[in-house]
Structure formats: C-alpha cells, structure tokens
Amino acid sequence: MTPDETPLSPTPRTVVRRGKKRARRSREDLYAVLDAGFVCHLGVIVDGTPMVIPTLYGRLGETLYMHGSTGARSLREAVDGEVCVTVTHVDGVVLARSAFHHSINYRSAMIYGTARIVEDRDEKLEGLRVLMEQLAPGRWDAVRRPTVKELAKTAVLAVSLAEASVKIRQGPPGEEEEDYALPIWAGVLPLHTRWRAPVPDPLLSPGIEVPGHVAERAHTTAFESPALTE
Amino acid sequence: MTPDETPLSPTPRTVVRRGKKRARRSREDLYAVLDAGFVCHLGVIVDGTPMVIPTLYGRLGETLYMHGSTGARSLREAVDGEVCVTVTHVDGVVLARSAFHHSINYRSAMIYGTARIVEDRDEKLEGLRVLMEQLAPGRWDAVRRPTVKELAKTAVLAVSLAEASVKIRQGPPGEEEEDYALPIWAGVLPLHTRWRAPVPDPLLSPGIEVPGHVAERAHTTAFESPALTE
C-alpha cells in the first residue's frame, strides 16, 4: 500500500457518507489541508452541550498541537475528553442555475481524537514551536522564547491525526441534466486570500528593519494547498 | 438602553471570561461579524462526542438559518438539541517580540441555542433565500427555485441569536513592558481576501453574459465588517 492508499478513515464516524465524491482518502491530502492554515475550530463538550472554539494549531507528523490559556475552561474540559477539530478553507462560491445546486468550493479536514495535555517540558516547547512556525514561518528563532512562568500559563493540547476525514470540492456546479439548457449564467466566483504589507508596531524601536521571514511572506497567497492529489 | 447597550450575553456560558478586553457586547457587532461571512462551524453531539461541521448559514433578524441534506446524520442529531455555531474571520497574524504574545487579529461570534427544524414551507423557502442571498447577493431572483422534491431533500435549521458572544482582536501586539526595548521587529501581517473574476461553467450555453450581481462582486473585498463599533 502506498501512502496515498492508506485509508484516513478506519472508523464509522470518519467514513464520509454525504457527498462521497468529495471525500479524499490520502494522508497527503489531510496534511495539505492542515498545513495550509493555522486556525482550527475545536469542538468540546461543556456541561453536556457542544462548544466550538476557534484556536491556533500546528501539525508535526501525526500530531496536531493546539494551545490556550490554562485558565480557559474549554481547554480544561477538552483534556482527556473526545474532541473534534475541523479546519476549513473557503475557495469560492459555486453559482448554479438552480438554487438547490449552489455550493462552495472548499477544502476541509475533520479530526476526531482524545485531547492529551502535554506535560513534558520539551514536547510542550516543541508543540509551541510547531504552532508558531505554522502561524509565522521563521518566527520562532527570531523572538524571545517563553519563560518558565509563561510556559506554566500556557496549555498545549495534542491530538493524534489517526482518525480523520477530508472533504474537498473544487470546480464548476453540478446541475440536473435538464437545467443546463436554462438561460442562466453559472460558474464559480473564486476567493483569493493574500498577505498584505507588514504593519509595524507603532511602539517599534527606531531602526529595526522588517526581517526576511516577514517580508518574504507579504504579497504571497495564503491558505494554498498545492500538494493536493487529483 | 440603546441597542448598543443590550447585553449579548445573558447566560453564564456566553460571558467571556478569557480575553475580556476582546469581548464585545453590542448586537450590532454580532450582526456585523455574522453578515460578513457565509460559512459557520456547527457543533453538535453525536454518540456522546462533539462533531464540528462547516456549513452555510444566513441571518434574518434574530435567527440564523443553516441547511443541509435531510440524509445527513449530523443535521438529524442537531434537531431539537443544543448546538454551538461559531463564525470566525481571520484578519492577520500578530507578530510580537515574545513568543508568548503572538496572536491573530480576528472577528468571531459564538451562538448557543436549540436547533429547530423548519417545517413550515414558507419559512423554509425564506430560510433558503436568506442563506443564498448571504452566499451570493442578488442570486435568488436569478435562478431556478427549488422544486417540491428538492425542498423535501433539504433540511433547514433555525437557531435563535438570543444567546451569543462576540470576540474581536485588532491592532498591534501587546507585550510585556520590558520586551518593548528588545531589538526584534514586531507588528501585524494582515490578510486580505478578495473576490476574483468569475469563472464561467465550461458547460455554459453560448451568449449568456455575466450578470450584474456576479460582476459587481468580482474584485471587491470579502469578509469585511465595516459596521463594527469602536
């Protein structure tokens, strides 16, 4: 079995039932979707009701790291509990001839797992490094590292990528056969996200130039997944 | 009490405890965040575990409408159950001098409520219209409306906006006082999303021009919230 053939979804809850043609089964596609972003939506159960929290993440191999304040109840509730982490990139609006077939083009990954709190100091630092490098490549080596006190205030959660599903929709609308003859314009209105020019902190000391790792990113496209399989 | 002073958060779970200075309390801010987008993350509980599903939504007054296939288990599970709906716009990366104070600029809304399935035909059509107009303004009047069969295949969920919280972070990093003197560049790398030129369906009949409601949106900024209060 090549890596591309390794099923992503060995469990009933990660078998894509709706929109099967949008399901992807390669781990490369999972990585491509996750690596293209840095904000996930973390689902936990608090007092019997679901809570969906936008938070930062980073991927290292088969592990997703998230972080938050040790004071945040949502993160405390997540520890050792089942969580669902979803990452979604919106690529455009699909304008069909029929209301029914309107959709969006998107890439999304859904991960189920148990959230483990990272206690080991080295893994905690590594989790934070991975998260920050995904947020801002090249940044970790340029900044002041966390103090013991700051580390104590930060909770790092780890979730395995073993149980995941990926759905991707790209391309023109799919219509009912008889609707193609309607005199209605149809197509896609794509969305495109770019990094703009860096805005210096008004309190920046004079004479500090924009570093390469920031300057190089400006004006490039964000949230791309060039590694997607066909 | 002016509308701006109406608290968004009458319940313990929508009182923002972490990052209080990022909390907003006006309904106008809630509307501004919701109206700027069309994809939410819907949290439901399925078999005792959380599930976070990206899905389309539209807002009409104090109601959020979502839709999906009547065959989707996640939607069936959501009906009459507690849900959490989160909408997040990412505006940029906040690059601090210290690793600890890195963050993102964002606008996010979190809604708690009971998901009601819309049974009334008129409300169902109205919910779909609202959702489609949020996805593609001007579209509803240009396309073939849903048939009875299509309506039967579509589930429309309604959630009240009564219980919600809004968090917004904008601006430069906030650092430890002593870190401002460090010789490290700090600031914000903003993200900017635009609609691109429309891509016609390859199966489009000849002679059909791009309609105004599509052409006018191309090259404009997406996901903006100009109505936010200071």
Side-chain angles (χ1 to χ4, degrees), chain A:
Chain A
M1 214 179 226
T2 70
D4 264 3
E5 289 163 345
T6 312
L8 271 176
S9 311
T11 67
R13 63 184 175 182
T14 53
V15 173
V16 174
R17 289 189 176 77
R18 308 303 311 174
K20 277 181 197 157
K21 62 185 173 193
R22 299 179 185 173
R24 300 292 183 104
R25 292 174 62 80
S26 90
R27 301 207 73 79
E28 280 60 37
D29 286 342
L30 174 65
Y31 300 157
V33 171
L34 294 178
D35 295 352
F38 46 83
V39 175
C40 62
H41 282 81
L42 167 66
V44 296
I45 300 178
V46 178
D47 294 337
T49 64
M51 185 171 181
V52 178
I53 309 136
T55 194
L56 299 175
Y57 72 89
R59 179 182 78 88
L60 181 66
E62 285 294 301
T63 305
L64 200 78
Y65 289 103
M66 291 169 285
H67 84 329
S69 163
T70 48
R73 177 145 184 233
S74 51
L75 282 190
R76 289 200 307 273
E77 298 281 340
V79 173
D80 297 326
E82 287 288 301
V83 301
C84 176
V85 183
T86 300
V87 172
T88 307
H89 309 297
V90 181
D91 295 321
V93 170
V94 180
L95 301 163
R97 296 157 183 86
S98 60
F100 186 73
H101 284 292
H102 277 68
S103 186
I104 57 167
N105 282 335
Y106 66 96
R107 293 158 284 151
S108 96
M110 206 184 268
I111 298 134
Y112 290 96
T114 305
R116 168 175 66 87
I117 192 132
V118 177
E119 306 276 11
D120 178 78
R121 189 181 169 278
D122 289 346
E123 190 189 358
K124 195 167 176 178
L125 269 174
E126 182 66 357
L128 289 173
R129 185 190 68 77
V130 162
L131 190 147
M132 179 165 302
E133 283 293 302
Q134 192 146 341
L135 180 69
R139 194 71 188 153
W140 185 252
D141 285 335
V143 298
R144 176 177 70 66
R145 300 288 167 84
T147 61
V148 173
K149 212 170 174 179
E150 287 172 340
L151 270 184
K153 279 196 232 175
T154 310
V156 174
L157 290 181
V159 177
S160 158
L161 297 179
E163 194 178 349
S165 63
V166 175
K167 280 178 97 170
I168 293 169
R169 194 215 183 276
Q170 302 290 311
E175 310 257 16
E176 303 301 321
E177 206 45 51
E178 62 270 26
D179 286 340
Y180 281 102
L182 291 174
I184 299 171
W185 189 89
V188 172
L189 198 58
L191 280 165
H192 183 220
T193 307
R194 286 172 74 88
W195 296 100
R196 287 190 144 170
V199 179
D201 183 351
L203 299 177
L204 193 67
S205 303
I208 301 180
E209 296 294 315
V210 177
H213 69 271
V214 177
E216 283 155 21
R217 203 177 201 192
H219 311 300
T220 64
T221 299
F223 306 132
E224 275 192 315
S225 296
L228 288 177
T229 57
E230 278 309 300

Side-chain angles (χ1 to χ4, degrees), chain B residues 172-188:
Chain B
E175 309 258 16
E176 303 301 320
E177 206 46 52
E178 62 271 25
D179 287 340
Y180 282 102
L182 291 174
I184 298 171
W185 189 89
V188 171

Side-chain angles (χ1 to χ4, degrees), chain A residues 95, chain B residues 132-140 195 212-214 216-217:
Chain A
L95 301 163
Chain B
M132 180 165 301
E133 281 295 300
Q134 192 145 342
L135 180 70
R139 194 72 188 155
W140 186 253
W195 296 99
H213 69 271
V214 177
E216 284 155 21
R217 202 177 201 192

